[in-house]
Amino acid sequence: MTLFPIGSPHKTEERNDRTHRAHRPAPDRMMFNPLPQALRHQFSAIIARTLSPRGVIVSGLVLTLFGWTLCASVLIESRRDAYNHAVENARNLMLLIERDIARNIELYDLSLQNVVDGIADPDAMALPPRLRDQVLFDRAANGKYLGSIFVMNEHGAITIDSGATPPRRGNFADRDYFAIHRDGHFHGLYISRPYASRLRNGALTIALSRRITRPDGSFGGVVVGTLSIDYFRALLHGIAVGRQGTAAILEDNGTVVCRLPFDPRMVGRDVHTSPLFTQSMAQREGVLAGAAAIDGVRRIYVYRHLADLPLSVDVAPAESDVYAPWQTRAAWFAVLMGIFSAIVMTGTLLLSHELRRRQLAESQLYRLAHTDALTGLDNRGRFDTVIDRETRRANRNGKPLSMLFVDVDHFKAYNDYYGHPAGDDVLRAVAQRASRCLQRPGDHVARYGGEEFVVTLPDTDAQGAANVAEAIRRAIAGLGIDHARSPYSHVTVSIGVATHEAHAPIDAATLVKRADDALYRAKSGGRNRICEDGARYESAA
């Protein structure tokens, strides 16, 4: 038995690196199959985090965000499909209109060219008027929506009229379709701006004219054919462009020839300053989106300039019509996703709350199972787990392990004299002071039973353990709790110290027994002292 003087220093000595390496486990045993083990640990950690209350909430948010992202991607693709379908449908309608106009104007132009050629033939012009007209004017001039074909002299007066013999009177030198040929600024087929015809009671009309050139190259007049705006109106009337969609035929100078829905006031309107029209002149065909200059409605304009003709055609479905089904679908998606998100988040919050409640209950159960209710320290069962783990670690790492057995002196006499409530207060005070004397995270104190406490000191040699024991003894004596039945007149403790120096393996039960034996000797020696176990574990070898 060894008694330690009061006030000795508390110092833990480390073994040198050579001793540490000598007790290190073999590499092949430590590193056996590391990759699968690491993966299992990582996977287990991920599962644990996911199933935590916070992990469940994060998972719910991720699931909701994924659902909204998927929904948004579907809606974006659906909107793109709606746009592409509208453009394709508009392009098909535009091509039908373009081909019809091109074919009819080409046929009408052939009739005008036939008149120009006939006038240049003296034999044809020498025929009687009735026969001459039959030679000059073919049946194309009698087509629906086509007006009379006129031959006008160099002064703008009608000299030959396909619709009347003798020709109707009138002078049209002021018309653009006459002046442009007279002034020599244009050669070929000219298409005029829309105008109210004098010979057709003000009906909206466009004129197609060709120059008559004399053999000497001088201006000899024009051949003019008229085409009713009703032709374009009828052509556009049958197409489906939606409630606010439009279709239009325009001249390259920005003049509106006809527009769907038809409005006589729109015929002849100049839109050459419109940004959309300006952009459309940059390419022969294309697609533009923007607000119309006429009514401000946003539309998708699919346009094309007719080859060899000063005309362009556009079909423009309104964006509101194009995207109306998509908007309905998007609204339903939003409602369904809102319901889905509400269900997911409600379920997530309820599950998180339940997990938190269960974790709290498990934590309370754990504390009840491992904590001493009176002192708040770990109980005997928890101590058994700790000492078993530390002895195995000490055997594995080759480092010292110490244990203290602390017993309150004359505690039964204190209870008998002061009562059990006072005794409980003493145990709580001893537990608090003993805990405060431990400075390292790895040190552990627990209530062993009754008035006995145990302290586990990993990586602590005999001198360090004795220093901790002395600090505990002094701290408890310093409480100054009166104890009339003690020879010291105040509450004191006796402490048994046992240290395993790692010369050979030791088990937890042996270390506990050695500490208990040391405590017995301290109590036998007069109490209020510490005693180190004098035994040394020797290897059987």
Side-chain angles (χ1 to χ4, degrees), residues 237-296:
H237 180 70
I239 66 173
V241 290
R243 187 171 59 89
Q244 296 192 75
T246 66
I249 301 167
L250 302 95
E251 296 184 1
D252 286 350
N253 58 12
T255 302
V256 177
V257 176
C258 189
R259 182 177 182 269
L260 179 72
F262 182 75
D263 184 351
R265 295 172 297 178
M266 292 293 104
V267 177
R269 179 167 177 173
D270 188 357
V271 295
H272 80 278
T273 59
S274 166
L276 288 172
F277 181 81
T278 303
Q279 294 178 54
S280 70
M281 294 301 294
Q283 294 181 342
R284 183 172 179 270
E285 61 179 315
V287 180
L288 296 172
I294 294 175
D295 55 15

Side-chain angles (χ1 to χ4, degrees), residues 97 101 232 235-236 247-251 255-258 311-313:
I97 297 170
I101 293 173
F232 300 104
L235 185 61
L236 298 180
I249 301 167
L250 302 95
E251 296 184 1
T255 302
V256 177
V257 176
C258 189
L311 296 174
S312 64
V313 177

Side-chain angles (χ1 to χ4, degrees), residues 172-193 207-211 219 221-222 224 251 253 310:
F172 300 92
D174 60 328
R175 295 293 193 185
D176 61 334
Y177 57 78
F178 181 87
I180 197 166
H181 292 296
R182 179 193 62 198
D183 299 338
H185 299 309
F186 189 83
H187 298 278
L189 178 67
Y190 176 77
I191 299 177
S192 74
R193 296 172 64 92
L208 289 74
S209 63
R210 277 192 173 273
R211 175 188 173 102
F219 176 65
V222 296
V224 180
E251 296 184 1
N253 58 12

Side-chain angles (χ1 to χ4, degrees), residues 265-478:
R265 295 172 297 178
M266 292 293 104
V267 177
R269 179 167 177 173
D270 188 357
V271 295
H272 80 278
T273 59
S274 166
L276 288 172
F277 181 81
T278 303
Q279 294 178 54
S280 70
M281 294 301 294
Q283 294 181 342
R284 183 172 179 270
E285 61 179 315
V287 180
L288 296 172
I294 294 175
D295 55 15
V297 177
R298 286 192 60 83
R299 296 185 176 91
I300 302 170
Y301 291 84
V302 181
Y303 68 91
R304 184 183 181 93
H305 293 276
L306 278 65
D308 303 324
L309 291 175
L311 296 174
S312 64
V313 177
D314 70 64
V315 176
E319 290 185 351
S320 59
D321 295 335
V322 171
Y323 297 127
W326 176 85
Q327 289 171 346
T328 302
R329 189 181 305 114
W332 276 108
F333 264 87
V335 170
L336 293 177
M337 282 304 302
I339 295 174
F340 171 76
S341 300
I343 293 174
V344 169
M345 292 311 301
T346 300
T348 297
L349 293 176
L350 291 176
L351 180 58
S352 175
H353 176 74
E354 181 63 20
L355 287 175
R356 187 176 289 106
R357 188 188 65 80
R358 293 186 63 176
Q359 283 187 348
L360 181 61
E362 290 174 357
S363 177
Q364 292 174 344
L365 288 175
Y366 181 87
R367 286 196 296 271
L368 289 174
H370 295 85
T371 305
D372 177 62
L374 176 63
T375 62
L377 299 177
D378 286 347
N379 60 16
R380 168 72 179 273
R382 180 59 182 162
F383 164 73
D384 290 340
T385 301
V386 171
I387 195 63
D388 181 67
R389 182 187 67 223
E390 296 299 338
T391 52
R392 285 189 283 108
R393 180 180 297 171
N395 290 331
R396 183 171 64 252
N397 297 336
K399 292 187 176 182
L401 172 65
S402 296
M403 175 185 162
L404 312 181
F405 227 127
V406 182
D407 182 85
V408 180
D409 296 329
H410 305 290
F411 185 70
K412 184 178 183 305
Y414 186 93
N415 269 342
D416 293 341
Y417 186 81
Y418 294 97
H420 287 282
D424 291 343
D425 293 337
V426 168
L427 294 178
R428 281 191 285 267
V430 169
Q432 291 175 3
R433 283 302 177 98
S435 297
R436 293 174 183 174
C437 291
L438 304 182
Q439 303 298 322
R440 302 179 308 172
D443 296 342
H444 180 261
V445 59
R447 184 183 180 190
Y448 196 76
E451 69 275 18
E452 294 178 328
F453 301 85
V454 284
V455 179
T456 305
L457 303 172
D459 195 18
T460 304
D461 59 13
Q463 181 61 47
N467 292 338
V468 174
E470 179 61 19
I472 293 174
R473 189 197 68 79
R474 281 175 171 272
I476 294 171

Side-chain angles (χ1 to χ4, degrees), residues 226-238:
T226 58
L227 181 61
S228 175
I229 295 298
D230 287 341
Y231 160 70
F232 300 104
R233 178 182 180 182
L235 185 61
L236 298 180
H237 180 70

